[in-house]
C-alpha cells in the first residue's frame, strides 16, 4: 500500500527519469543552435563529427552515430526509435568471427558519411544506413531502411526504402489552404510541384 507521500515521491522520481526534450544544442563548430531540440533519451555518438542545422528535432530513444561524419540539415525531424548510422560492422563480425575483435579495420567494416537534407522527416523505427544521402524535404515512412541516394522531396517506404511519392504534392495542397505560408516555403524549397 502506498501512502500519499510515497506516491508524490514516486511521481517526482518518474518525472526526473522520464524522457524530456532539451532546447538548444552546441554543434561541433561551437555555434549555439537555440531552436534545436534533442531528447535526453537519445544517444549521440561522436558529436564532434556531427554537423547539424537549427530548428532540428531529435526525439526519444534514437541512436545518432556520427563516427563516420554526419550532417543533419536545418528543420529536420527525427521521430522516435530511429537509428542514423555512419558505420556498420555486421559483415565484418560475421566474416571474422572472433578474429573481428582487436582489428582497427577488419575486412567488411564499412564507414561512410551520412547526410540528411534540410526539412526531412524520419518516421519511427527507421534506419538510415551508413553513406545514405537524403535530399531536401524527404519523408521517410515508419519502419523504413534507407541506403544510397534519395532525391529531393521523395517519399520513401520499405526495406530497402523505395521512392513512393513526392512531398511537394502534399505541400501544394496545404499551401492552397494557407497561401500566407507560400513565401516561407519557397524560401527553402522553391515553388511547389505542379498538379
Amino acid at each position: 500500500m502506498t501512502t500519499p507521500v510515497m506516491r508524490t515521491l514516486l511521481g517526482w522520481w518518474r518525472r526526473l527519469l522520464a524522457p524530456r526534450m532539451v532546447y538548444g544544442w552546441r554543434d561541433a563548430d561551437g555555434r549555439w543552435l537555440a531552436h534545436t531540440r534533442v531528447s535526453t533519451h537519445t544517444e549521440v555518438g561522436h558529436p564532434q563529427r556531427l554537423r547539424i542545422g537549427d530548428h532540428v528535432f531529435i526525439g526519444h530513444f534514437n541512436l545518432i552515430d556520427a563516427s563516420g561524419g554526419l550532417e543533419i540539415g536545418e528543420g529536420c525531424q527525427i521521430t522516435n526509435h530511429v537509428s542514423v548510422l555512419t558505420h556498420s560492422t555486421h559483415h565484418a563480425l560475421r566474416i571474422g568471427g572472433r578474429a573481428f575483435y582487436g582489428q582497427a579495420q577488419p575486412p567488411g567494416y564499412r564507414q561512410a558519411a551520412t547526410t540528411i537534407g534540410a526539412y526531412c522527416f524520419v518516421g519511427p523505427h527507421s534506419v538510415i544506413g551508413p553513406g545514405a544521402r537524403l535530399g531536401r524535404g524527404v519523408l521517410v515512412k515508419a519502419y523504413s531502411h534507407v541506403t544510397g541516394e534519395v532525391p529531393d522531396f521523395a517519399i520513401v517506404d520499405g526495406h530497402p526504402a523505395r521512392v513512393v511519392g513526392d512531398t511537394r504534392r502534399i505541400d501544394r495542397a496545404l499551401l492552397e489552404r494557407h497561401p500566407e505560408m507560400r513565401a516561407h516555403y519557397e524560401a527553402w524549397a522553391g515553388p511547389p510541384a505542379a498538379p
Side-chain angles (χ1 to χ4, degrees), residues 6-7 13 22 25 28 37 46 56 73 75 98 108 118 146 171 184 194:
M6 288 178 66
R7 281 193 297 274
W13 183 251
V22 176
W25 182 268
R37 298 156 291 161
H46 302 271
V56 169
R98 292 182 182 161
V146 181
D171 298 343
H184 299 290

Side-chain angles (χ1 to χ4, degrees), residues 130-152:
R133 299 185 59 78
L134 282 68
R136 299 175 302 142
V138 170
L139 187 154
V140 177
K141 288 189 164 192
Y143 295 95
S144 295
H145 184 228
V146 181
T147 59
E149 298 275 336
V150 177
D152 290 348

Side-chain angles (χ1 to χ4, degrees), residues 12-100:
W12 287 344
W13 183 251
R14 284 186 194 113
R15 281 191 294 279
L16 179 67
L17 296 178
R20 291 183 310 281
M21 295 307 297
V22 176
Y23 278 77
W25 182 268
R26 188 161 311 279
D27 78 355
D29 296 329
R31 292 179 306 138
W32 179 248
L33 306 170
H35 304 102
T36 290
R37 298 156 291 161
V38 179
S39 170
T40 57
H41 283 57
T42 280
E43 175 66 25
V44 178
H46 302 271
Q48 72 277 11
R49 308 268 340 259
L50 172 62
R51 301 290 176 257
I52 189 169
D54 206 0
H55 300 274
V56 169
F57 173 92
I58 301 176
H60 307 308
F61 310 111
N62 296 305
L63 171 63
I64 308 298
D65 160 39
S67 64
L70 174 60
E71 182 176 335
I72 300 174
E74 178 179 274
C76 285
Q77 296 178 333
I78 298 173
T79 57
N80 303 311
H81 301 281
V82 171
S83 293
V84 178
L85 306 174
T86 63
H87 83 282
S88 175
T89 60
H90 71 277
H91 291 295
L93 184 58
R94 219 175 32 255
I95 299 299
R98 292 182 182 161
F100 168 84

